[in-house]
Amino acid sequence: QGWSGWMLYTAFYASLAIYQYGGDPWKKWYPALRDYLLPMQTADGLWNNDPYQGLFTAFAILALELPLRTLPIFQDGGRGAEGH
């Protein structure tokens, strides 16, 4: 166990950095991440071995949704509700 359980936390923050950098690194990173993460999702929608009942799953979903730019923080020029 140890820190290996925090792989999804690390994947999310690494994805943020690589997404912002963009270019070829992102084009290589995202398909590899997607292909690695999706088989780990269980039938109930959680990611394998999520002892926090959703925390690691949230990190996986946030990492996977980056190219969709759904959340305002990930949108170009986007500001959250705190900016209003």
Side-chain angles (χ1 to χ4, degrees):
Q1 285 286 351
W3 283 101
S4 65
W6 288 90
M7 189 281 302
L8 292 170
Y9 172 86
T10 304
F12 168 61
Y13 282 102
S15 294
L16 278 176
I18 297 168
Y19 176 75
Q20 290 175 356
Y21 185 81
D24 287 334
W26 176 253
K27 289 177 185 175
K28 292 177 184 176
W29 172 266
Y30 185 77
L33 179 70
R34 179 196 61 220
D35 294 348
Y36 179 78
L37 289 181
L38 288 180
M40 293 171 44
Q41 189 177 22
T42 61
D44 63 1
L46 295 174
W47 260 254
N48 286 343
N49 303 318
D50 187 345
Y52 300 100
Q53 300 174 328
L55 178 63
F56 290 163
T57 295
F59 285 128
I61 291 169
L62 287 169
L64 290 170
E65 81 83 36
L66 279 170
L68 300 174
R69 297 163 40 149
T70 304
L71 297 176
I73 194 170
F74 301 143
Q75 297 170 5
D76 289 341
R79 289 172 43 167
E82 73 282 355
H84 297 285

